[in-house]
Amino acid sequence: MSIKYKFILAILSIVFLIVGLFTYNSIKEQKKILNFELEKRVKLMRDNLTQDATYTIAYYKNEIENDLASMNLSHIQILFTQLVERESIDGISLSNNLQSVHIFEGIASKNDVDKLSLEETQTHIIVSSPIVLSSKWGNLSIVYSLKELNDEIQSAHKDIQKFVGERIKDAFFSAILFSLFFGVLSYTLAVKITKPILLLTKRADQIANGKLEDSKNILHIDSNDEVGLLTKSFMQMSQKLQKSYTELKNINSSLENKVQKEVEKSRIQDQKLIEQSKMALMGELISMIAHQWRQPLNIISLNTVKLETRALLEINISNDELIAIASEINKQSQYLSNTIDDFRYFYKPNKERESVTLQDVVLRSLSIIKASILDSGIKIIEEYDSKEKLDIYYNEMVQVVLSILKNAQDSFEKNNIKTPYINITTKNRTISICDNGGGISEDIKDKIFEPYFSTKKEKSVTGLGLYMSKTIVEKHHAGILRVENKSKGACFIIEI
């Protein structure tokens, strides 16, 4: 939207706002007066109805007590019929405490009261009084209808809503008339004010599109006001910009080639470092395979010895036993095969992204290193809450988790931790790996992600594990890898 139409829209908005506020306050005050008058009328009608109810029940109470004293029940029935015929009364009831006498007409009520009482609902007023002969005999209740009062209230509310609607309609037409007048006025002013600015905007667009050569013949604003001064400054800027643009274009052409070469060189170097880091893990992972295979091989050996012993001793073996032993051997053999598949998959070159969850990444890492960790007496705590699938380099992320877990395992051995544990948590797009290995010294905390930095003194250690982990997370996945010292150890946090 151009500045001209923004100016017009601003004027019209102010007009509508003023008319709306004035109309709102006017309607609000008049509605307040009408509601006050309605409340006075309703109160007066309610008071009259209450007085009538009090007088009526007092009169009929005396009549009924006399009739009960003389046992003239037929006369009581006549009194009830007369009362129910009144439009304002919906019902009347008479009952004694022993329920031996119970007479009612219309809507019945059985309020048990010790004195004159009045109960009000949304549709009725119920007035009750005790019937006393020599002692309390029972209760008399008269039910008055509030229909007439409610109808009066509803009718008054409709009149108020009708009045409000008419006032809103009047305000709408007034706003239209004002808008037409001020619209014409604001359009005239907007054209006069915005024409020089639109010319400047047009020229700015040309410059933005690289058309710097026409700057002398585009602008013809000769005024000496702020817009004229702005035009002269703009012309000077345009000429300087054209010169700078030409120089910059030549520089960029040369720089772009250099940057492209450096980026490619950096990418190749990163890939070499990743492979170097992965190969550095080879010896440790071979040791992990030994831990993974130890228990399955023992189980297979025990079952084989069991079969061999029975054969030598000529002890019969049932088909069920034989099937169970064969099934167990097959199960452990399958486990050995899966372990080999996990290691082969980890070392398989894979440059394509895969859609997996962070829980899948952790589980694949644990399938490689878990046996080694447990064999070292380290407890693993796992908490998973990451169902979202992410497009990531699967093997690279497995390498990151393996490096962090191996560092935690080494810290336990270095610091001689008695009851070591690793807590692995995934939540949404985050992996947290925390341990109780004593944490990282503050003087080297900022160096652990540097290439070739290591606290280990073995010659075989490359110092690339955490450096490449940070490269994989932050450069290859645009994520964050950071470390924090907690109360008992270090906590590595991976955010994708």
Side-chain angles (χ1 to χ4, degrees):
M1 184 184 292
S2 67
I3 190 171
K4 176 173 66 177
Y5 293 109
K6 287 181 179 179
F7 180 81
I8 296 171
L9 182 61
I11 296 296
L12 294 179
S13 298
I14 293 172
V15 171
F16 271 105
L17 180 61
I18 293 173
V19 173
L21 289 174
F22 176 79
T23 303
Y24 172 76
N25 289 328
S26 176
I27 293 175
K28 183 179 178 182
E29 288 300 321
Q30 295 187 40
K31 188 176 179 181
K32 183 177 179 182
I33 294 171
L34 292 174
N35 283 328
F36 178 72
E37 293 296 329
L38 175 61
E39 288 176 3
K40 285 173 60 178
R41 286 168 56 192
V42 170
K43 185 176 183 304
L44 180 61
M45 293 178 67
R46 196 181 298 274
D47 290 344
N48 290 338
L49 186 60
T50 302
Q51 289 177 3
D52 179 65
T54 304
Y55 172 79
T56 300
I57 198 165
Y59 173 78
Y60 279 90
K61 172 182 180 299
N62 292 332
E63 289 292 320
I64 290 171
E65 285 177 347
N66 293 333
D67 289 338
L68 287 173
S70 60
M71 294 303 294
N72 189 0
L73 297 181
S74 61
H75 184 251
I76 293 175
Q77 188 65 55
I78 293 171
L79 293 175
F80 276 27
T81 304
Q82 292 174 351
L83 278 171
V84 172
E85 289 177 353
R86 293 168 60 176
E87 292 184 1
S88 60
I89 295 177
D90 276 355
I92 181 170
S93 64
L94 173 68
S95 62
N96 73 339
N97 296 332
L98 299 176
Q99 299 296 319
S100 58
V101 177
H102 179 61
I103 307 172
F104 67 88
E105 293 286 346
I107 297 175
S109 177
K110 299 181 181 179
N111 291 346
D112 187 12
V113 297
D114 294 324
K115 61 180 181 179
L116 179 65
S117 67
L118 190 140
E119 177 186 351
E120 184 174 339
T121 66
Q122 290 184 347
T123 57
H124 293 89
I125 290 178
I126 304 171
V127 60
S128 302
S129 176
I131 300 297
V132 180
L133 298 180
S134 59
S135 60
K136 181 179 177 181
W137 180 87
N139 297 282
L140 172 65
S141 297
I142 301 177
V143 182
Y144 280 82
S145 173
L146 294 178
K147 183 177 183 304
E148 182 180 355
L149 179 61
N150 290 335
D151 290 345
E152 179 72 19
I153 294 173
Q154 290 179 2
S155 176
H157 279 301
K158 288 180 181 179
D159 291 341
I160 292 173
Q161 292 300 324
K162 182 178 180 183
F163 166 77
V164 171
E166 290 175 352
R167 291 292 295 159
I168 292 175
K169 187 187 298 183
D170 294 341
F172 177 74
F173 286 115
S174 298
I176 291 176
L177 292 176
F178 276 107
S179 298
L180 289 174
F181 173 75
F182 283 100
V184 174
L185 179 62
S186 59
Y187 180 81
T188 304
L189 292 173
V191 169
K192 185 175 180 179
I193 294 172
T194 60
K195 183 177 179 181
I197 299 175
L198 291 174
L199 289 174
L200 281 173
T201 304
K202 180 179 179 181
R203 181 57 193 146
D205 288 340
Q206 291 176 335
I207 292 175
N209 292 324
K211 298 179 181 179
L212 303 174
E213 64 279 358
D214 298 330
S215 60
K216 294 183 178 179
N217 301 319
I218 292 297
L219 299 178
H220 302 284
I221 302 172
D222 300 324
S223 62
N224 293 321
D225 57 8
E226 288 81 359
V227 176
L229 295 174
L230 177 63
T231 303
K232 292 177 183 178
S233 299
F234 187 84
M235 294 285 287
Q236 294 174 359
M237 180 197 71
S238 177
Q239 293 170 359
K240 292 180 180 179
L241 188 61
Q242 181 180 1
K243 182 180 178 181
S244 300
Y245 179 77
T246 302
E247 295 175 354
L248 184 62
K249 190 174 181 180
N250 295 331
I251 294 172
N252 282 344
S253 178
S254 174
L255 185 61
E256 186 175 344
N257 292 330
K258 291 181 180 179
V259 170
Q260 189 172 0
K261 290 179 181 179
E262 290 299 322
V263 168
E264 181 63 20
K265 187 186 295 184
S266 176
R267 188 189 66 79
I268 294 172
Q269 184 65 22
D270 283 348
Q271 193 60 42
K272 287 181 179 178
L273 288 175
I274 289 175
E275 293 301 324
Q276 185 180 350
S277 175
K278 187 180 290 187
M279 293 304 296
L281 285 172
M282 177 71 78
E284 294 175 351
L285 293 181
I286 291 174
S287 175
M288 294 175 196
I289 291 179
H291 285 290
Q292 295 282 74
W293 279 17
R294 182 175 299 166
Q295 184 177 359
L297 287 174
N298 285 339
I299 294 174
I300 292 173
S301 177
L302 287 173
N303 280 286
T304 305
V305 169
K306 182 178 181 180
L307 290 175
E308 185 178 2
T309 302
R310 290 203 172 195
L312 291 174
L313 298 177
E314 297 183 354
I315 299 174
N316 291 331
I317 184 169
S318 66
N319 287 336
D320 291 340
E321 257 189 300
L322 188 60
I323 290 172
I325 292 173
S327 176
E328 182 63 25
I329 292 174
N330 182 61
K331 176 183 175 182
Q332 299 302 325
S333 300
Q334 187 63 43
Y335 177 80
L336 297 176
S337 176
N338 290 340
T339 302
I340 288 296
D341 289 341
D342 286 339
F343 280 88
R344 288 177 61 194
Y345 186 86
F346 175 65
Y347 280 101
K348 176 183 176 183
N350 190 356
K351 303 296 190 252
E352 300 295 327
R353 288 179 179 265
E354 298 182 49
S355 182
V356 296
T357 66
L358 294 182
Q359 179 178 341
D360 296 331
V361 173
V362 174
L363 292 176
R364 174 56 62 87
S365 305
L366 288 177
S367 71
I368 297 173
I369 198 173
K370 189 171 185 178
S372 174
I373 292 176
L374 295 177
D375 193 58
S376 300
I378 301 169
K379 180 180 179 182
I380 300 176
I381 303 170
E382 302 171 56
E383 300 176 31
Y384 301 113
D385 186 15
S386 54
K387 298 180 181 179
E388 179 182 359
K389 288 194 173 184
L390 308 175
D391 291 331
I392 59 176
Y393 296 107
Y394 193 9
N395 278 350
E396 291 188 4
M397 288 304 299
V398 169
Q399 182 178 345
V400 171
V401 175
L402 280 173
S403 294
I404 296 172
L405 291 174
K406 192 67 181 69
N407 277 351
Q409 187 178 11
D410 292 342
S411 71
F412 294 137
E413 182 179 353
K414 176 182 176 182
N415 297 323
N416 194 24
I417 304 300
K418 300 300 181 184
T419 56
Y421 68 82
I422 299 175
N423 191 338
I424 307 174
T425 304
T426 67
K427 187 173 181 62
N428 299 330
R429 303 169 72 94
T430 302
I431 301 175
S432 298
I433 303 175
C434 303
D435 61 54
N436 64 335
I440 302 170
S441 176
E442 290 296 330
D443 57 342
I444 65 168
K445 185 179 175 184
D446 296 332
K447 299 179 182 179
I448 62 173
F449 293 114
E450 294 178 2
Y452 306 109
F453 177 83
S454 176
T455 59
K456 305 169 189 175
K457 297 181 180 180
E458 292 87 346
K459 292 183 179 180
S460 61
V461 175
T462 63
L464 290 173
L466 291 179
Y467 166 71
M468 290 314 306
S469 295
K470 194 171 184 67
T471 299
I472 290 169
V473 173
E474 298 189 354
K475 288 188 177 181
H476 298 186
H477 295 88
I480 297 173
L481 172 59
R482 55 191 172 88
V483 63
E484 299 175 355
N485 276 327
K486 300 294 185 180
S487 58
K488 296 183 179 180
C491 192
F492 285 85
I493 300 168
I494 305 167
E495 298 176 9
I496 302 298

